[in-house]
Amino acid sequence: QVQVMESGGGLVQTGGSLRLSCAVSESIFSINAMGWYRQAPGKQRELVAVVTSDGHTNYADSMKGRFTMSRDNAKNTVYLQMNSLKPEDTAVYYCNVFHCRGTICNSYWGQGTQVTVSS
């Protein structure tokens, strides 16, 4: 079983920055894909960024240029650097791991971390 734990959320002012962390119990080198998602009150969960095992990283259009995803293989951790934050970025941010063993694939979610941006 793959365990996922997000951290780093908090309260910031408009224009501020946060770095979210996602620690994974499995070597991230063996993970097929990892992604950040967010869900604001009254809205459905949306993709923020995703990185696949071939090294490609994709960002949602509204986050391009402000958010950056990176990883530290030694710590089995991926990060989401969030800059120029806006009130509309307020949401619970979730880390997702997609992991396959042969033909059996599973998706694992963390518990989420709250990001609040005040204006």
Side-chain angles (χ1 to χ4, degrees):
Q1 295 286 90
V2 178
Q3 297 183 14
V4 182
M5 179 66 70
E6 307 99 328
S7 62
L11 174 64
V12 297
Q13 295 182 339
T14 297
S17 299
L18 284 173
R19 189 176 75 161
L20 306 183
S21 299
C22 176
V24 182
S25 63
E26 194 82 9
S27 171
I28 60 175
F29 185 78
S30 68
I31 294 174
N32 298 87
M34 296 185 65
W36 286 97
Y37 296 76
R38 69 185 186 186
Q39 187 167 20
K43 300 180 66 177
Q44 67 180 11
R45 190 170 299 184
E46 65 176 340
L47 173 70
V48 175
V50 62
V51 60
T52 53
S53 59
D54 60 2
H56 289 94
T57 304
N58 295 302
Y59 301 90
D61 288 341
S62 62
M63 271 71 79
K64 288 181 179 178
R66 298 191 300 121
F67 293 3
T68 303
M69 193 171 179
S70 61
R71 66 189 180 209
D72 186 334
N73 292 332
K75 296 182 178 180
N76 290 339
T77 301
V78 297
Y79 305 94
L80 183 68
Q81 180 66 45
M82 310 165 65
N83 298 323
S84 301
L85 285 164
K86 307 172 182 179
E88 52 262 43
D89 295 319
T90 295
V92 177
Y93 285 71
Y94 297 91
C95 183
N96 175 257
V97 172
F98 189 71
H99 180 62
C100 298
R101 295 186 182 275
T103 60
I104 302 175
C105 299
N106 291 284
S107 183
Y108 302 89
W109 293 91
Q111 80 289 346
T113 184
Q114 176 71 49
V115 172
T116 302
V117 184
S118 63
S119 60

